[in-house]
Structures are given as C-alpha cells and as structure tokens.
Amino acid sequence: NAGVTQTPKFQVLKTGQSMTLQCAQDMNHEYMSWYRQDPGMGLRLIHYSVGAGITDQGEVPNGYNVSRSTTEDFPLRLLSAAPSQTSVYFCASSRRGLSAGELFFGEGSRLTVL
Amino acid sequence: QQPVQSPQAVILREGEDAVINCSSSKALYSVHWYRQKHGEAPVFLMILLKGGEQMRHEKISASFNEKKQQSSLYLTASQLSYSGTYFCGTGLQGAQKLVFGQGTRLTINP
C-alpha cells in the first residue's frame, strides 16, 4: 500500500525556472493539500482540494498553481522559482475532509532555489 | 492566522510529564495534533472536535476548551520515542483549511 507518493524527493532549481512537484495517492481520498515547511514556521498551507475539479487557496498561495483533474493526483506547479520558495514541501490527503480526522502525509520534496 | 503553541521547546528526562498548549484567536471547530520526527513526515496523533470528548493515544491525551479556543496535549510518563516536534492544527466550522502552529520541539533524555 503506497499511500501518498511525492516526486521528486530532491530538486535544485535556478531562479526563474518552473517545475512541477507531483503528488499521487492510492487511497481514494477526496481531500488533498500541499504544505511547505520552513524552520521555525511550522507547516503552512499552500493550496487544497476537496475533490476532482475543485481547488482553493491556503495561507501562502502566491507563486504556486494547482489542478485536480483526477482523484488520485494533485500536482503543485512553481511558475517562476524564487529563492524564497526554497523549502520542504509536503502533500497530504484525507478520506473525507478535515473533520473526519487523519491527514496522511507524503515523505516530502526538498526544493532548493539558487 | 496560525495558532500559537507554547512552549517552543521542552527538554525532559524519561518518565517525566509534559504539557503542550495551542491557542487560537478564532472560534475553532477542530484541533488536530501531529508529531514529526527529524527528517520524516508528520504523523497523526488525534483529533478533537467541538463538543467532543477528550482524546487519548497511548499515554498521550488532549483536551479542547472551546470557550477559550485552546487545546492542550498531555504527555504522561514520557518515553524516548516521544521525542520530536509536535504540531497543532486548527480547523474552523465549514472550512477545509487546516492551519498549523509553529511547533513544539520535545526532547526526551534517558
């Protein structure tokens, strides 16, 4: 049982480059979300989705785009990478939304922007 | 806004107790607690819902004071395996955003 799979695990970009962080879950979860984690800042919500075709902004959405064409996949796109986007990114999913309980996290993607 | 956690860091000896607090300026519907070990993903501990009961996970329990918009995590007779950073996440009624606090680093020494 794979759970939540994120790729790549590590990535180095130059300022201005674009890239997509992939997230896939095999648990048929409706809810998916992206967080970034920076030292001393905790986990900050970037975007989330309550089902295929539905996305919404979190606390820190600027510079990121998402789409949800299938239940399984929730990619995060960096349009023009900036050093401030250097972070560890976590994708998480939940079966029925937040009130139902547990968020399952992927292992994280460490991004460095030079 | 992010909930505020206190203390920011705690150092204990094995077997001692600890309390981690989480407070919000908004009326909360749910409080979630997670533990993250260094280099790993956060792992779910428990969720407390408005009007719900105090929850327990092994020797870890939590309470939710809806009137004060506060939650507390109680770690009893701490074990070495409890070391890590604890995060509270708060949810509002009708919203699907889970906003996390900045974390509390717990170190358990033998």
Side-chain angles (χ1 to χ4, degrees):
Chain A
N1 202 5
V4 179
T5 303
Q6 291 183 230
T7 56
K9 288 187 169 47
F10 300 94
Q11 183 71 49
V12 178
L13 290 178
K14 294 181 179 178
T15 297
Q17 288 184 316
S18 62
M19 77 155 299
T20 298
L21 298 176
Q22 302 290 346
C23 176
Q25 51 89 11
D26 62 357
M27 299 174 283
N28 201 30
H29 284 176
E30 291 295 323
Y31 182 89
M32 296 186 74
S33 55
W34 276 102
Y35 287 88
R36 60 176 289 174
Q37 185 171 34
D38 304 294
M41 302 290 289
L43 295 150
R44 291 184 292 170
L45 181 64
I46 305 171
H47 286 285
Y48 67 98
S49 168
V50 297
I54 306 170
T55 64
D56 207 344
Q57 296 182 348
E59 305 167 84
V60 288
N62 292 340
Y64 307 95
N65 273 358
V66 291
S67 60
R68 185 95 180 271
S69 56
T70 67
T71 300
E72 295 77 21
D73 300 300
F74 191 43
L76 179 72
R77 297 182 187 85
L78 281 72
L79 308 173
S80 178
S84 60
Q85 294 179 303
T86 294
S87 187
V88 180
Y89 291 85
F90 287 100
C91 178
S93 72
S94 176
R95 187 160 60 93
R96 289 177 292 152
L98 295 180
S99 61
E102 181 173 2
L103 274 176
F104 292 83
F105 282 84
E107 292 184 343
S109 297
R110 184 177 294 272
L111 175 67
T112 301
V113 183
L114 303 176
Chain B
Q1 295 104 318
Q2 277 188 303
V4 177
Q5 290 185 232
S6 62
Q8 291 188 340
V10 184
I11 300 175
L12 299 176
R13 289 197 177 275
E14 195 174 8
E16 292 182 336
D17 301 339
V19 179
I20 299 172
N21 299 303
C22 174
S23 64
S24 173
S25 59
K26 299 194 174 187
L28 301 176
Y29 177 75
S30 64
V31 179
H32 307 229
W33 286 96
Y34 286 77
R35 177 171 62 209
Q36 184 180 32
K37 294 190 178 287
H38 183 70
E40 299 181 6
V43 174
F44 176 79
L45 292 175
M46 64 190 79
I47 179 175
L48 301 102
L49 300 177
K50 182 178 178 180
E53 299 177 349
Q54 185 173 8
M55 298 299 291
R56 173 174 292 276
H57 172 83
E58 299 174 349
K59 289 186 178 180
I60 301 172
S61 62
S63 63
F64 179 18
N65 186 324
E66 300 158 28
K67 290 183 180 178
K68 293 185 177 180
Q69 288 108 250
Q70 292 178 347
S71 177
S72 294
L73 189 72
Y74 307 94
L75 297 96
T76 305
S78 57
Q79 306 169 12
L80 295 176
S81 62
Y82 287 178
S83 290
T85 300
Y86 289 77
F87 293 97
C88 71
T90 54
L92 305 180
Q93 180 102 36
Q96 291 296 333
K97 296 183 184 183
L98 188 63
V99 180
F100 284 95
Q102 79 278 20
T104 296
R105 178 173 291 182
L106 178 64
T107 303
I108 311 293
N109 293 320

